[in-house]
Amino acid sequence: MSAVSPENALSVNLVKAGSTKIRYPAGLVRDDGTRITVRAPWAAPHARDFGFVRFEPGDVLTEHYWRDRWYAVKEVRTGGGQLKGWYCDITRPAVLRGTELLVEDLDLDLWVSADGSSVLRLDEDEFEESGLAARDPSAAEAAVRALDELEHLARTEGLAGLVT
């Protein structure tokens, strides 16, 4: 992993329901005007076992955010470089303000294993409970469309081509 230096340092601010869920430093890898790619170590000080994957200190995430798409795709690798898979957050389009990357999490997620054999839709219950469909129906529809699009891509072409 390339080190985060003052020249490429960003702060990723993941917001959920109007509050910061997590904020962590990341190194800017690329910004082509539409997609922003950053790299960061697993932000928690401890491991987190989701049942289908375990994120651990030392893991490295290469995160891809779009200014015009309703999702973020995070490639997850061990510290040794072995691909674990892709964790996808359904979000509003990302906003870069100075050195802060602001991302609003909309609860829906998708996990795709490294070999593509496991594609899991996650947190649909949280999405329903969030009330987004009542508060902002167009955003809720865009979120569901984004999840469907990512799942279709994962099951057909795979996600590797999306983030290269």
Side-chain angles (χ1 to χ4, degrees):
M1 181 180 127
S2 57
V4 176
S5 67
E7 298 81 40
N8 73 347
L10 292 179
S11 176
V12 177
N13 185 9
L14 188 61
V15 175
K16 190 171 181 176
S19 299
T20 295
K21 179 178 170 183
I22 188 169
R23 180 188 300 266
Y24 54 92
L28 177 65
V29 174
R30 175 177 45 252
D31 181 357
D32 67 9
T34 302
R35 184 176 76 184
I36 303 160
T37 301
V38 301
R39 189 167 292 128
W42 168 242
H46 55 280
R48 182 160 180 208
D49 191 340
F50 289 92
F52 50 87
V53 67
R54 181 178 167 90
F55 288 6
E56 303 171 288
D59 285 352
V60 177
L61 285 76
T62 302
E63 304 175 358
H64 305 271
Y65 299 93
W66 284 264
R67 291 177 172 96
D68 63 350
R69 298 184 190 181
W70 287 70
Y71 54 77
V73 176
K74 300 171 182 182
E75 181 185 270
V76 184
R77 293 185 178 271
T78 66
Q82 181 181 4
L83 179 64
K84 291 184 175 187
W86 294 270
Y87 195 93
C88 306
D89 287 320
I90 303 304
T91 67
R92 290 185 188 269
V95 176
L96 183 60
R97 291 190 187 130
T99 59
E100 179 184 50
L101 183 58
L102 183 61
V103 184
E104 185 180 346
D105 186 342
L106 298 177
D107 293 306
L108 294 171
D109 300 298
L110 185 77
W111 168 254
V112 181
S113 63
D115 65 2
S117 66
S118 178
V119 178
L120 305 171
R121 292 171 74 108
L122 307 169
D123 303 327
E124 290 177 300
D125 55 338
E126 288 180 30
F127 178 73
E128 290 299 321
E129 293 167 8
S130 75
L132 184 64
R135 278 191 329 275
D136 190 344
S138 62
E141 289 172 15
V144 171
R145 273 194 315 272
L147 181 62
D148 291 344
E149 175 186 333
L150 278 175
E151 181 182 15
H152 175 75
L153 187 59
R155 293 187 185 282
T156 56
E157 301 169 35
L159 297 183
L162 179 65
V163 297
T164 54

